[in-house]
Amino acid sequence: MLLFSRPLLLLSLLLLGTNVTAQEPPQGRELVQRRVTLTQSAVGKPVEVHVATGSLTVLEFDSPVDHVGVKLGDARDRFELFVVNDRLVMLKPTGDVAMGERVLLTVSFLDGMSPPRAVFSLLTNATQVDAQVQVSRLPRTAEAVQAELDEVRAACASKDAELAALRARSAATGPSGMILAGAMDVDGVKAKELRVEAVLKPSDGLKAEHVTAFRGTGWVALSLEITNEGGAPWTPTEARLSPAGGGRSHAATVAMRETHIAPGGKAMVVVESRGEDWPERGTRRVELRDSTGARSLLIPALVF
């Protein structure tokens, strides 16, 4: 077993030309970074870790590792690199573990807390390799748990609008679908040509003209005539609406007949959103983007 201090460990990685996140994945396999939490109830149950020929796998721990208590079964000669540090265990197999075979790696800890050790089962997976595994063992603070929960809630909230917009788009297809979905009732549909004279400057070589707004029960749609003054085709795939004065943005669906707007060409693009995202007489900032985000069309303020 090779024992390195942290500075020497980093130097070794540089000399080996190894980068955990930048290494090339094995053919047909995806490099994965993930987290594992060790619990008292799972003591003795091995944690699966996917390894592959010539690919570096790093186990990173939140508590000090007992070098003497790190055991790699009887397969030491099958790893061209096996390094143990105070918080890291790095290994690089010379060949894939045979299908159905498991190599056990035992890691013991120095602080005397529970669980005193962890067992990992090294095996081959056909589709992925664990490039980095962050192993959490110590009790997490309430602040850390709350921060992660807030992050998850924010991510979920950002997807709610997109999901609702997709549902609305699939339900309302034509007048019959709109009536059945409750998107059109006795109030009918209100339409208005919006004034955009002050915001017609091209954005990324894209220019919006003749913007018409439509409002029905629970929905708002914009019809925009867009000219592509740039040198490359452009296809809008995403739209977002937000209060002109600042605030949370909302996703909207985008539709047009053409597959793209050619350089020098013009096409009608329709943006559809939920009515509550654009209250009557509200001012909204409208942005259309392509799939790469390289080019976008921004209209700073529209009132409907």
Side-chain angles (χ1 to χ4, degrees):
M1 182 188 305
L2 302 176
L3 305 182
F4 288 90
S5 64
R6 188 175 295 274
L8 184 55
L9 174 61
L10 296 176
L11 178 60
S12 300
L13 289 176
L14 290 174
L15 292 175
L16 288 168
T18 304
N19 185 309
V20 175
T21 58
Q23 64 175 316
E24 289 295 326
Q27 185 175 4
R29 294 174 184 164
E30 175 189 6
L31 293 178
V32 176
Q33 293 178 305
R34 63 188 180 96
R35 295 181 179 179
V36 171
T37 300
L38 301 178
T39 62
Q40 187 61 40
S41 60
V43 172
K45 183 178 180 180
V47 177
E48 289 190 354
V49 176
H50 301 141
V51 297
T53 304
S55 183
L56 181 68
T57 294
V58 178
L59 305 178
E60 181 179 351
F61 301 90
D62 63 354
S63 50
V65 171
D66 180 3
H67 302 151
V68 178
V70 176
K71 308 293 184 183
L72 187 58
D74 298 324
R76 185 74 55 80
D77 57 344
R78 295 164 61 181
F79 289 81
E80 62 178 284
L81 180 67
F82 180 56
V83 179
V84 179
N85 185 257
D86 56 347
R87 300 273 178 165
L88 300 174
V89 173
M90 299 191 305
L91 43 89
K92 189 175 185 181
T94 55
D96 283 351
V97 178
M99 296 302 295
E101 181 186 4
R102 296 169 181 262
V103 177
L104 294 183
L105 169 67
T106 303
V107 178
S108 299
F109 304 102
L110 288 171
D111 54 16
M113 299 183 65
S114 183
R117 67 185 58 83
V119 179
F120 300 90
S121 179
L122 309 181
L123 67 158
T124 295
N125 183 278
T127 60
Q128 63 184 26
V129 179
D130 290 325
Q132 181 180 24
V133 181
Q134 293 180 313
V135 183
S136 299
R137 171 174 163 270
L138 299 179
R140 303 176 64 193
T141 65
E143 291 78 7
V145 174
Q146 185 62 51
E148 185 172 336
L149 180 60
D150 291 343
E151 182 180 343
V152 172
R153 283 175 174 170
C156 292
S158 68
K159 297 299 180 183
D160 287 345
E162 284 87 344
L163 180 59
L166 289 173
R167 286 173 175 169
R169 182 177 180 179
S170 62
T173 54
S176 299
M178 294 174 67
I179 293 170
L180 291 172
M184 185 168 64
D185 54 20
V186 294
D187 293 328
V189 176
K190 301 176 184 178
K192 180 181 179 181
E193 190 85 15
L194 301 187
R195 298 180 60 185
V196 292
E197 292 86 348
V199 292
L200 286 180
K201 292 182 179 180
S203 173
D204 280 343
L206 304 166
K207 186 177 181 180
E209 301 174 287
H210 306 301
V211 180
T212 304
F214 302 84
R215 185 185 297 275
T217 303
W219 61 272
V220 174
L222 293 178
S223 169
L224 306 96
E225 189 174 273
I226 298 178
T227 301
N228 182 5
E229 300 179 350
W234 185 68
T235 303
T237 59
E238 176 188 2
R240 300 201 72 85
L241 308 179
S242 58
R248 181 182 170 187
S249 65
H250 299 270
T253 60
V254 180
M256 68 177 187
R257 290 192 183 95
E258 298 79 359
T259 57
H260 63 267
I261 307 176
K266 182 181 297 186
M268 178 183 291
V269 178
V270 177
V271 175
E272 183 181 339
S273 179
R274 298 176 302 180
E276 58 266 31
D277 293 342
W278 194 331
E280 291 194 47
R281 293 178 294 280
T283 304
R284 286 294 179 267
R285 177 181 184 269
V286 181
E287 183 178 12
L288 286 83
R289 308 169 182 166
D290 60 16
S291 60
T292 65
R295 296 175 68 193
S296 63
L297 171 64
L298 174 64
I299 303 179
L302 286 177
V303 182
F304 180 34

